[in-house]
Amino acid sequence: MSESTNRSGAEGNGYFLRAERITKIYSDGTVAVRDATLELRPGEIVGLLGENGAGKTTLTKILSGLLPPTRGRVVSPRGRVRFSSPREALEFGIGMVHQHFALVGTFTAVENVALSQERPLAPLQLAETRAKLEALMGESGLRVPLDVPVEKLAVGEQQRVEILKVLSRDVDLLILDEPTSVLTPLEVDELFRLLRRLKGEGKAIVLITHKLKEVGSITDRVVVLRKGAVVGDVRTADVTKEELAQLMVGKALETRAGRAVELSTEEVPAHAPAKREGGGRGQGVLHVEGLSVAGDAKPIAVDDLTFDVYGGEIFGIAGVEGNGQTELVEALTGLRPALKGRATIHGQNILGLDPRQIYKLGVAHIPEDRWVLGLVLPFTLAENAILGVHRWDQFRGPLSVLRWGRINAHVRELMERFEIQATGPGAPAKSLSGGNQQKLIVGRELAKDPAIVIASQPTRGLDVGAAQYIRDTLVEMRDRGRAILLVSADLDEVLALSDRVAVMYEGKFMAVARPEELDREKVGMLMGGVSVGGRG
Amino acid sequence: MTGNEGQPGGRLLRGVHRTLTGLHPALESVLAAVVGLLVGAVLMYIWGYDPWRAYWALLRGAYGGSYEIASSIARGVPLVLTGLTFAICLRGGMFNIGAEGQMYVGAAAAVCVAYFKLPPGLHVVAGVLLAAVAGAVWSLGPALLKLTRGVHEVISTIMFNWIGRFLVFYLVAYVLVDARQGQRTVQIPLSARFPVLVRGTDLSYSVFLAVAFALFVYVLLWHTATGYEVRAAGLTPTAARYGGISIKRTMLLSFILGGVAAGLAGAATVMGLPPTYAIISGLPQLMNLGFDGMAVAMVGRNHPIGILVAALFFGGLNAGGRVMQFYGSNPVPLEMVRVVMGAIVLAMAIPELARVFPALAASGRALVGMLSRKRPVEEAA
């Protein structure tokens, strides 16, 4: 249609809110958003697109008053706005529906909404709220059972309660953070119908997403964020999925406005795959067949997956987080039951075993969340270094007495070999830096001399040096003939390290290929759920 | 990293350090004790007593001589064991307040030794074992309810305390009752009593049972794979599961072990505390030992060694309190000691208390810094 709009609405007529040159630097120095400008207008659905950690959530939190920006300002036609709390933002007319709902499970929809009306010490206005909700449901077509405890409702219905909660405050701007990630396709259709109706009523809507298909089907405008910066602000009609994918994963692209977008930032040194021509791959270690796993909120998180991982290869799983990677890893490591299918290590079944039995079969697991799974933080280095292997004979004498002498010697060895900076084996794990904690986990797991290493987000949150060290270690393990299953949301990492890459989307592999067969654009499309026909 | 493991002194220090791991916030406990005593002093003052004289009497009554010290230790013995009940379960991630009921049931089981004959040493062992098993069995109820049905242990142990209490009331009145002395149960025969350790005092060999069990718990928790699993599961259940630890198993184990400790507390009281060697109807000599054990565990920071120290302190409060109520012209009632105990527990329950002081010190320093700063700097800021 008309020409594209990098800085559209410049005439200023009828915008609702404008974020001007927002920068957010967290106290640990992370730059979450850099110099981002974003304008929101009534009657428009804006898609906020980007990979994990692109700054989508941070930016919307700033808009909705949850976070103050480090630099920059938010303005409305009435002047500059400054919110010190979400409540103020709500009073101004900005409501956010978070990924994790803030509902009291044992309360009904009416009670939950009444509770959100923020009248301290006043009795709940149940009758009033009910009337309001019924009216609201009538106009919006958004129906939920009002008198059932919300924990008994389907996830989609709970989300509708959240939306009603926000709408009941007469908001003009509705921000939804990944609203479709927990919904069934049918529920997604319903949600989109609702959003279109709200748009018709003149509300401004921001939809945070990483799904390209959704962007195409519902939004009027797309703002693409990468590493905190706005790298594209275009009308949906004027852009192809391919272009969006390129923008999202970071490849030079001339925007319509003619501004060149910077090239992808630092690349992972591609020294890793000294890709041995075919011959490197050993025998099959992990075999997965028809595996389906339920998630916490969704009935199917891993959907009928079949794949093999061989000795001497790194099998990488790329994809936006929340597409079943966590559930897959948990099912393979004994932390989550599988619904159906088979998984074997060297031909031996591992489904239904407890983690210790699985470790005995030669599995090492570098978990995704080192504070929740990987470490007992108040424990010392030595105590953490034997987690999972504490019953191995080398650490245990008669009567199950722990041989602290040997354990400490083992820890000192690990500290030396994996360059763990700590005062000694008796230092509490929580006193270590994130990088050293992760090295401790990696060291502990690799010291098992495993047949397969299942590494989930192994370098997340680490500084460049520690991350590189851990990548080198994984490559070294592969070169020694071990199988590596690498799950990472860091696309560069997966592409650089893996011998084969699978792209996971909604519980399925969109493709399995050698990294050289995949360009970033293609991976971006696959990660966004767009299948790429044939070869590119 | 440079390895300095060659120095024997360093190794010894590290060993000592590990032994003391978990004792670290001991200062916080001392602080709580001081706060408790201060609160008691204020109350005494308000009610017209002389706190100095009363505390002096209490101190002398608790630690004023070998008789007093022996008496304080004797009163601390059951508290060590019920304190361990609470501490073991807390280390395992549960809030077990069932020591009281488990201790009653253990005591009742120990009295059963009166119905059979055994040689002296063996008879004591039999009583101890009976009490341990009974305490463990009584702990199984809440444990199984939690593991199979998800019933919270606080609720179930409170219920089991009442059931245990009335069960033992019944047993004392109708089953174990002494036909000649209806107000108490049959007496434990001489062969099944813990011999008195210090003549003329109530301190018996049961003190060794308490100390040995505390050391056993220490070794188990900090030096065996099993105890490691209990502590890991108690601190971070998710990580424990990742480490292949069965949380249900560690919970069951800590509950049973706690039950054993509470049962032993019952045995130590009826078999080792002169002069009754029987359960008196209304259970006066058992009442509250389980709950006081929780206070002991908290003050002892849920560490067996800390619990030994804290039990000596609480035993002293109990023993000294009895002296306090007979002392001088205006004696302080025994209840005041319980007020002090309550205040200590409250002070322990406010973890911010210890943090308040560093915070105050920091703000004080900031204030001093601000005042002493020179004007130009202030203007620049």
Side-chain angles (χ1 to χ4, degrees), chain A residues 1 4-5 44-48 212-223 233-241 243-244 256:
Chain A
M1 310 265 276
S4 99
T5 47
E44 188 185 42
I45 301 180
V46 174
L48 204 51
L212 294 169
K213 245 187 266 180
E214 287 176 2
V215 169
S217 67
I218 182 85
T219 64
D220 302 304
R221 190 154 59 94
V222 197
V223 173
D233 184 344
V234 288
R235 291 175 59 103
T236 312
D238 297 338
V239 70
T240 64
K241 283 176 187 163
E243 286 167 325
L244 284 178
R256 296 294 163 98

PDB file of all heavy atoms in Angstrom, chain A residues 1 4-5 44-48 212-223 233-241 243-244 256:
ATOM      1  N   MET A   1       0.845  -1.185   0.000  1.00  0.00           N
ATOM      2  CA  MET A   1       0.000   0.000   0.000  1.00  0.00           C
ATOM      3  C   MET A   1       0.883   1.238   0.000  1.00  0.00           C
ATOM      4  O   MET A   1       1.833   1.319  -0.741  1.00  0.00           O
ATOM      5  CB  MET A   1      -0.901  -0.002   1.239  1.00  0.00           C
ATOM      6  CG  MET A   1      -1.630  -1.310   1.448  1.00  0.00           C
ATOM      7  SD  MET A   1      -3.281  -1.285   0.757  1.00  0.00           S
ATOM      8  CE  MET A   1      -4.214  -0.520   2.049  1.00  0.00           C
ATOM      9  N   SER A   4       6.372   2.620   3.199  1.00  0.00           N
ATOM     10  CA  SER A   4       6.568   2.063   4.532  1.00  0.00           C
ATOM     11  C   SER A   4       6.863   3.155   5.551  1.00  0.00           C
ATOM     12  O   SER A   4       7.140   4.299   5.197  1.00  0.00           O
ATOM     13  CB  SER A   4       7.703   1.062   4.517  1.00  0.00           C
ATOM     14  OG  SER A   4       8.854   1.687   4.989  1.00  0.00           O
ATOM     15  N   THR A   5       6.817   2.778   6.763  1.00  0.00           N
ATOM     16  CA  THR A   5       6.769   3.769   7.818  1.00  0.00           C
ATOM     17  C   THR A   5       7.768   3.429   8.893  1.00  0.00           C
ATOM     18  O   THR A   5       7.466   2.706   9.829  1.00  0.00           O
ATOM     19  CB  THR A   5       5.381   3.764   8.446  1.00  0.00           C
ATOM     20  OG1 THR A   5       5.046   2.394   8.694  1.00  0.00           O
ATOM     21  CG2 THR A   5       4.373   4.385   7.554  1.00  0.00           C
ATOM     22  N   GLU A  44      -4.746  -0.092  16.348  1.00  0.00           N
ATOM     23  CA  GLU A  44      -3.668  -0.734  15.610  1.00  0.00           C
ATOM     24  C   GLU A  44      -3.087  -1.875  16.441  1.00  0.00           C
ATOM     25  O   GLU A  44      -2.902  -1.732  17.651  1.00  0.00           O
ATOM     26  CB  GLU A  44      -2.570   0.278  15.305  1.00  0.00           C
ATOM     27  CG  GLU A  44      -1.503  -0.263  14.385  1.00  0.00           C
ATOM     28  CD  GLU A  44      -0.351   0.720  14.199  1.00  0.00           C
ATOM     29  OE1 GLU A  44       0.072   1.335  15.190  1.00  0.00           O
ATOM     30  OE2 GLU A  44       0.107   0.856  13.077  1.00  0.00           O
ATOM     31  N   ILE A  45      -2.820  -2.993  15.787  1.00  0.00           N
ATOM     32  CA  ILE A  45      -2.158  -4.097  16.475  1.00  0.00           C
ATOM     33  C   ILE A  45      -0.703  -4.126  16.030  1.00  0.00           C
ATOM     34  O   ILE A  45      -0.410  -4.239  14.839  1.00  0.00           O
ATOM     35  CB  ILE A  45      -2.828  -5.450  16.160  1.00  0.00           C
ATOM     36  CG1 ILE A  45      -4.302  -5.418  16.571  1.00  0.00           C
ATOM     37  CG2 ILE A  45      -2.094  -6.580  16.866  1.00  0.00           C
ATOM     38  CD1 ILE A  45      -5.034  -6.711  16.300  1.00  0.00           C
ATOM     39  N   VAL A  46       0.177  -3.961  17.002  1.00  0.00           N
ATOM     40  CA  VAL A  46       1.601  -3.959  16.697  1.00  0.00           C
ATOM     41  C   VAL A  46       2.210  -5.258  17.197  1.00  0.00           C
ATOM     42  O   VAL A  46       2.002  -5.649  18.349  1.00  0.00           O
ATOM     43  CB  VAL A  46       2.300  -2.762  17.385  1.00  0.00           C
ATOM     44  CG1 VAL A  46       3.805  -2.843  17.186  1.00  0.00           C
ATOM     45  CG2 VAL A  46       1.765  -1.467  16.846  1.00  0.00           C
ATOM     46  N   GLY A  47       2.935  -5.926  16.325  1.00  0.00           N
ATOM     47  CA  GLY A  47       3.651  -7.133  16.743  1.00  0.00           C
ATOM     48  C   GLY A  47       5.052  -6.753  17.170  1.00  0.00           C
ATOM     49  O   GLY A  47       5.737  -6.003  16.480  1.00  0.00           O
ATOM     50  N   LEU A  48       5.459  -7.224  18.327  1.00  0.00           N
ATOM     51  CA  LEU A  48       6.819  -6.973  18.796  1.00  0.00           C
ATOM     52  C   LEU A  48       7.558  -8.291  18.646  1.00  0.00           C
ATOM     53  O   LEU A  48       7.290  -9.256  19.363  1.00  0.00           O
ATOM     54  CB  LEU A  48       6.765  -6.519  20.254  1.00  0.00           C
ATOM     55  CG  LEU A  48       7.914  -5.680  20.789  1.00  0.00           C
ATOM     56  CD1 LEU A  48       8.203  -4.504  19.899  1.00  0.00           C
ATOM     57  CD2 LEU A  48       7.580  -5.196  22.189  1.00  0.00           C
ATOM     58  N   LEU A 212       6.308 -16.072  13.460  1.00  0.00           N
ATOM     59  CA  LEU A 212       6.156 -15.255  12.248  1.00  0.00           C
ATOM     60  C   LEU A 212       4.752 -15.359  11.679  1.00  0.00           C
ATOM     61  O   LEU A 212       4.194 -14.404  11.176  1.00  0.00           O
ATOM     62  CB  LEU A 212       7.176 -15.704  11.210  1.00  0.00           C
ATOM     63  CG  LEU A 212       8.627 -15.435  11.591  1.00  0.00           C
ATOM     64  CD1 LEU A 212       9.571 -16.144  10.655  1.00  0.00           C
ATOM     65  CD2 LEU A 212       8.889 -13.950  11.585  1.00  0.00           C
ATOM     66  N   LYS A 213       4.187 -16.558  11.775  1.00  0.00           N
ATOM     67  CA  LYS A 213       2.859 -16.773  11.218  1.00  0.00           C
ATOM     68  C   LYS A 213       1.839 -15.844  11.865  1.00  0.00           C
ATOM     69  O   LYS A 213       1.017 -15.227  11.194  1.00  0.00           O
ATOM     70  CB  LYS A 213       2.434 -18.226  11.479  1.00  0.00           C
ATOM     71  CG  LYS A 213       2.276 -19.054  10.217  1.00  0.00           C
ATOM     72  CD  LYS A 213       1.701 -20.406  10.570  1.00  0.00           C
ATOM     73  CE  LYS A 213       2.818 -21.408  10.760  1.00  0.00           C
ATOM     74  NZ  LYS A 213       2.363 -22.753  11.095  1.00  0.00           N
ATOM     75  N   GLU A 214       1.943 -15.748  13.189  1.00  0.00           N
ATOM     76  CA  GLU A 214       1.000 -14.899  13.919  1.00  0.00           C
ATOM     77  C   GLU A 214       1.157 -13.452  13.528  1.00  0.00           C
ATOM     78  O   GLU A 214       0.181 -12.728  13.359  1.00  0.00           O
ATOM     79  CB  GLU A 214       1.254 -15.005  15.421  1.00  0.00           C
ATOM     80  CG  GLU A 214       0.800 -16.314  15.970  1.00  0.00           C
ATOM     81  CD  GLU A 214       1.150 -16.445  17.429  1.00  0.00           C
ATOM     82  OE1 GLU A 214       1.713 -15.489  18.006  1.00  0.00           O
ATOM     83  OE2 GLU A 214       0.865 -17.507  17.973  1.00  0.00           O
ATOM     84  N   VAL A 215       2.403 -13.061  13.378  1.00  0.00           N
ATOM     85  CA  VAL A 215       2.661 -11.674  13.007  1.00  0.00           C
ATOM     86  C   VAL A 215       1.934 -11.378  11.711  1.00  0.00           C
ATOM     87  O   VAL A 215       1.239 -10.373  11.571  1.00  0.00           O
ATOM     88  CB  VAL A 215       4.176 -11.454  12.852  1.00  0.00           C
ATOM     89  CG1 VAL A 215       4.447 -10.109  12.225  1.00  0.00           C
ATOM     90  CG2 VAL A 215       4.840 -11.565  14.202  1.00  0.00           C
ATOM     91  N   GLY A 216       2.055 -12.305  10.750  1.00  0.00           N
ATOM     92  CA  GLY A 216       1.424 -12.085   9.453  1.00  0.00           C
ATOM     93  C   GLY A 216      -0.086 -12.059   9.544  1.00  0.00           C
ATOM     94  O   GLY A 216      -0.749 -11.299   8.841  1.00  0.00           O
ATOM     95  N   SER A 217      -0.660 -12.856  10.432  1.00  0.00           N
ATOM     96  CA  SER A 217      -2.108 -12.993  10.384  1.00  0.00           C
ATOM     97  C   SER A 217      -2.840 -11.954  11.211  1.00  0.00           C
ATOM     98  O   SER A 217      -4.003 -11.698  10.967  1.00  0.00           O
ATOM     99  CB  SER A 217      -2.515 -14.392  10.837  1.00  0.00           C
ATOM    100  OG  SER A 217      -2.225 -14.551  12.196  1.00  0.00           O
ATOM    101  N   ILE A 218      -2.195 -11.345  12.172  1.00  0.00           N
ATOM    102  CA  ILE A 218      -2.975 -10.489  13.070  1.00  0.00           C
ATOM    103  C   ILE A 218      -2.489  -9.047  13.123  1.00  0.00           C
ATOM    104  O   ILE A 218      -3.269  -8.138  13.379  1.00  0.00           O
ATOM    105  CB  ILE A 218      -3.033 -11.098  14.502  1.00  0.00           C
ATOM    106  CG1 ILE A 218      -3.887 -10.266  15.469  1.00  0.00           C
ATOM    107  CG2 ILE A 218      -1.671 -11.258  15.107  1.00  0.00           C
ATOM    108  CD1 ILE A 218      -5.330 -10.585  15.416  1.00  0.00           C
ATOM    109  N   THR A 219      -1.202  -8.808  12.900  1.00  0.00           N
ATOM    110  CA  THR A 219      -0.707  -7.460  13.184  1.00  0.00           C
ATOM    111  C   THR A 219      -0.867  -6.518  11.986  1.00  0.00           C
ATOM    112  O   THR A 219      -0.984  -6.950  10.845  1.00  0.00           O
ATOM    113  CB  THR A 219       0.785  -7.483  13.568  1.00  0.00           C
ATOM    114  OG1 THR A 219       1.531  -7.951  12.439  1.00  0.00           O
ATOM    115  CG2 THR A 219       1.036  -8.385  14.748  1.00  0.00           C
ATOM    116  N   ASP A 220      -0.867  -5.232  12.307  1.00  0.00           N
ATOM    117  CA  ASP A 220      -0.863  -4.212  11.268  1.00  0.00           C
ATOM    118  C   ASP A 220       0.551  -3.714  11.024  1.00  0.00           C
ATOM    119  O   ASP A 220       0.891  -3.266   9.953  1.00  0.00           O
ATOM    120  CB  ASP A 220      -1.725  -3.021  11.708  1.00  0.00           C
ATOM    121  CG  ASP A 220      -3.142  -3.456  12.009  1.00  0.00           C
ATOM    122  OD1 ASP A 220      -3.769  -4.048  11.121  1.00  0.00           O
ATOM    123  OD2 ASP A 220      -3.600  -3.236  13.152  1.00  0.00           O
ATOM    124  N   ARG A 221       1.352  -3.783  12.050  1.00  0.00           N
ATOM    125  CA  ARG A 221       2.701  -3.237  11.993  1.00  0.00           C
ATOM    126  C   ARG A 221       3.587  -4.157  12.811  1.00  0.00           C
ATOM    127  O   ARG A 221       3.123  -4.760  13.792  1.00  0.00           O
ATOM    128  CB  ARG A 221       2.696  -1.832  12.601  1.00  0.00           C
ATOM    129  CG  ARG A 221       3.947  -1.028  12.422  1.00  0.00           C
ATOM    130  CD  ARG A 221       3.618   0.455  12.470  1.00  0.00           C
ATOM    131  NE  ARG A 221       2.995   0.816  13.747  1.00  0.00           N
ATOM    132  CZ  ARG A 221       3.688   1.275  14.798  1.00  0.00           C
ATOM    133  NH1 ARG A 221       4.981   1.425  14.735  1.00  0.00           N
ATOM    134  NH2 ARG A 221       3.067   1.586  15.916  1.00  0.00           N
ATOM    135  N   VAL A 222       4.822  -4.288  12.400  1.00  0.00           N
ATOM    136  CA  VAL A 222       5.758  -5.131  13.134  1.00  0.00           C
ATOM    137  C   VAL A 222       6.958  -4.306  13.550  1.00  0.00           C
ATOM    138  O   VAL A 222       7.513  -3.561  12.746  1.00  0.00           O
ATOM    139  CB  VAL A 222       6.290  -6.300  12.275  1.00  0.00           C
ATOM    140  CG1 VAL A 222       6.907  -7.358  13.155  1.00  0.00           C
ATOM    141  CG2 VAL A 222       5.218  -6.876  11.405  1.00  0.00           C
ATOM    142  N   VAL A 223       7.319  -4.459  14.809  1.00  0.00           N
ATOM    143  CA  VAL A 223       8.554  -3.843  15.287  1.00  0.00           C
ATOM    144  C   VAL A 223       9.475  -4.991  15.646  1.00  0.00           C
ATOM    145  O   VAL A 223       9.107  -5.859  16.427  1.00  0.00           O
ATOM    146  CB  VAL A 223       8.290  -2.943  16.511  1.00  0.00           C
ATOM    147  CG1 VAL A 223       9.595  -2.443  17.093  1.00  0.00           C
ATOM    148  CG2 VAL A 223       7.376  -1.795  16.127  1.00  0.00           C
ATOM    149  N   ASP A 233      10.830  -1.423  11.759  1.00  0.00           N
ATOM    150  CA  ASP A 233       9.517  -0.959  12.184  1.00  0.00           C
ATOM    151  C   ASP A 233       8.741  -0.774  10.887  1.00  0.00           C
ATOM    152  O   ASP A 233       8.873   0.240  10.208  1.00  0.00           O
ATOM    153  CB  ASP A 233       9.667   0.354  12.966  1.00  0.00           C
ATOM    154  CG  ASP A 233       8.337   0.838  13.526  1.00  0.00           C
ATOM    155  OD1 ASP A 233       7.279   0.342  13.075  1.00  0.00           O
ATOM    156  OD2 ASP A 233       8.346   1.710  14.408  1.00  0.00           O
ATOM    157  N   VAL A 234       8.002  -1.795  10.493  1.00  0.00           N
ATOM    158  CA  VAL A 234       7.423  -1.809   9.152  1.00  0.00           C
ATOM    159  C   VAL A 234       5.964  -2.237   9.195  1.00  0.00           C
ATOM    160  O   VAL A 234       5.529  -2.933  10.120  1.00  0.00           O
ATOM    161  CB  VAL A 234       8.199  -2.788   8.243  1.00  0.00           C
ATOM    162  CG1 VAL A 234       9.556  -2.245   7.894  1.00  0.00           C
ATOM    163  CG2 VAL A 234       8.325  -4.152   8.897  1.00  0.00           C
ATOM    164  N   ARG A 235       5.228  -1.828   8.141  1.00  0.00           N
ATOM    165  CA  ARG A 235       3.851  -2.300   8.030  1.00  0.00           C
ATOM    166  C   ARG A 235       3.871  -3.755   7.636  1.00  0.00           C
ATOM    167  O   ARG A 235       4.636  -4.181   6.785  1.00  0.00           O
ATOM    168  CB  ARG A 235       3.118  -1.490   6.963  1.00  0.00           C
ATOM    169  CG  ARG A 235       2.865  -0.052   7.361  1.00  0.00           C
ATOM    170  CD  ARG A 235       2.249   0.676   6.197  1.00  0.00           C
ATOM    171  NE  ARG A 235       0.994   0.025   5.821  1.00  0.00           N
ATOM    172  CZ  ARG A 235      -0.198   0.526   6.137  1.00  0.00           C
ATOM    173  NH1 ARG A 235      -0.280   1.651   6.815  1.00  0.00           N
ATOM    174  NH2 ARG A 235      -1.295  -0.089   5.765  1.00  0.00           N
ATOM    175  N   THR A 236       3.039  -4.533   8.259  1.00  0.00           N
ATOM    176  CA  THR A 236       3.042  -5.973   8.026  1.00  0.00           C
ATOM    177  C   THR A 236       2.810  -6.283   6.545  1.00  0.00           C
ATOM    178  O   THR A 236       3.401  -7.198   5.990  1.00  0.00           O
ATOM    179  CB  THR A 236       1.944  -6.637   8.873  1.00  0.00           C
ATOM    180  OG1 THR A 236       2.048  -6.154  10.192  1.00  0.00           O
ATOM    181  CG2 THR A 236       2.077  -8.131   8.851  1.00  0.00           C
ATOM    182  N   ALA A 237       1.972  -5.492   5.936  1.00  0.00           N
ATOM    183  CA  ALA A 237       1.632  -5.765   4.545  1.00  0.00           C
ATOM    184  C   ALA A 237       2.834  -5.574   3.623  1.00  0.00           C
ATOM    185  O   ALA A 237       2.862  -6.120   2.520  1.00  0.00           O
ATOM    186  CB  ALA A 237       0.489  -4.855   4.112  1.00  0.00           C
ATOM    187  N   ASP A 238       3.816  -4.797   4.077  1.00  0.00           N
ATOM    188  CA  ASP A 238       4.925  -4.470   3.200  1.00  0.00           C
ATOM    189  C   ASP A 238       6.129  -5.378   3.371  1.00  0.00           C
ATOM    190  O   ASP A 238       7.198  -5.104   2.812  1.00  0.00           O
ATOM    191  CB  ASP A 238       5.388  -3.025   3.475  1.00  0.00           C
ATOM    192  CG  ASP A 238       4.303  -2.039   3.162  1.00  0.00           C
ATOM    193  OD1 ASP A 238       3.407  -2.407   2.381  1.00  0.00           O
ATOM    194  OD2 ASP A 238       4.340  -0.923   3.705  1.00  0.00           O
ATOM    195  N   VAL A 239       5.992  -6.402   4.179  1.00  0.00           N
ATOM    196  CA  VAL A 239       7.194  -7.166   4.501  1.00  0.00           C
ATOM    197  C   VAL A 239       6.881  -8.646   4.357  1.00  0.00           C
ATOM    198  O   VAL A 239       5.745  -9.085   4.572  1.00  0.00           O
ATOM    199  CB  VAL A 239       7.683  -6.801   5.924  1.00  0.00           C
ATOM    200  CG1 VAL A 239       6.742  -7.322   6.969  1.00  0.00           C
ATOM    201  CG2 VAL A 239       9.091  -7.282   6.176  1.00  0.00           C
ATOM    202  N   THR A 240       7.883  -9.397   3.958  1.00  0.00           N
ATOM    203  CA  THR A 240       7.676 -10.840   3.827  1.00  0.00           C
ATOM    204  C   THR A 240       8.199 -11.534   5.076  1.00  0.00           C
ATOM    205  O   THR A 240       8.980 -10.975   5.842  1.00  0.00           O
ATOM    206  CB  THR A 240       8.432 -11.396   2.613  1.00  0.00           C
ATOM    207  OG1 THR A 240       9.825 -11.204   2.845  1.00  0.00           O
ATOM    208  CG2 THR A 240       8.011 -10.699   1.335  1.00  0.00           C
ATOM    209  N   LYS A 241       7.767 -12.774   5.253  1.00  0.00           N
ATOM    210  CA  LYS A 241       8.252 -13.542   6.396  1.00  0.00           C
ATOM    211  C   LYS A 241       9.757 -13.692   6.333  1.00  0.00           C
ATOM    212  O   LYS A 241      10.440 -13.666   7.354  1.00  0.00           O
ATOM    213  CB  LYS A 241       7.613 -14.940   6.378  1.00  0.00           C
ATOM    214  CG  LYS A 241       6.182 -14.942   6.853  1.00  0.00           C
ATOM    215  CD  LYS A 241       5.601 -16.330   6.720  1.00  0.00           C
ATOM    216  CE  LYS A 241       4.116 -16.290   7.026  1.00  0.00           C
ATOM    217  NZ  LYS A 241       3.422 -17.477   6.529  1.00  0.00           N
ATOM    218  N   GLU A 243      11.938 -11.646   5.131  1.00  0.00           N
ATOM    219  CA  GLU A 243      12.599 -10.418   5.568  1.00  0.00           C
ATOM    220  C   GLU A 243      12.547 -10.286   7.087  1.00  0.00           C
ATOM    221  O   GLU A 243      13.519  -9.893   7.724  1.00  0.00           O
ATOM    222  CB  GLU A 243      11.933  -9.196   4.914  1.00  0.00           C
ATOM    223  CG  GLU A 243      12.292  -9.066   3.450  1.00  0.00           C
ATOM    224  CD  GLU A 243      11.407  -8.052   2.729  1.00  0.00           C
ATOM    225  OE1 GLU A 243      10.221  -7.945   3.069  1.00  0.00           O
ATOM    226  OE2 GLU A 243      11.900  -7.389   1.830  1.00  0.00           O
ATOM    227  N   LEU A 244      11.400 -10.648   7.650  1.00  0.00           N
ATOM    228  CA  LEU A 244      11.271 -10.561   9.108  1.00  0.00           C
ATOM    229  C   LEU A 244      12.243 -11.522   9.788  1.00  0.00           C
ATOM    230  O   LEU A 244      12.877 -11.188  10.779  1.00  0.00           O
ATOM    231  CB  LEU A 244       9.834 -10.883   9.537  1.00  0.00           C
ATOM    232  CG  LEU A 244       8.813  -9.781   9.301  1.00  0.00           C
ATOM    233  CD1 LEU A 244       7.431 -10.254   9.716  1.00  0.00           C
ATOM    234  CD2 LEU A 244       9.176  -8.517  10.058  1.00  0.00           C
ATOM    235  N   ARG A 256      13.075  -0.559   4.397  1.00  0.00           N
ATOM    236  CA  ARG A 256      12.394   0.192   3.340  1.00  0.00           C
ATOM    237  C   ARG A 256      12.766   1.659   3.387  1.00  0.00           C
ATOM    238  O   ARG A 256      12.796   2.341   2.402  1.00  0.00           O
ATOM    239  CB  ARG A 256      10.878   0.041   3.487  1.00  0.00           C
ATOM    240  CG  ARG A 256      10.402  -1.368   3.305  1.00  0.00           C
ATOM    241  CD  ARG A 256      10.636  -1.803   1.877  1.00  0.00           C
ATOM    242  NE  ARG A 256      10.574  -3.253   1.771  1.00  0.00           N
ATOM    243  CZ  ARG A 256       9.480  -3.892   1.366  1.00  0.00           C
ATOM    244  NH1 ARG A 256       8.411  -3.247   1.034  1.00  0.00           N
ATOM    245  NH2 ARG A 256       9.497  -5.214   1.292  1.00  0.00           N
TER     246      ARG A 256
END
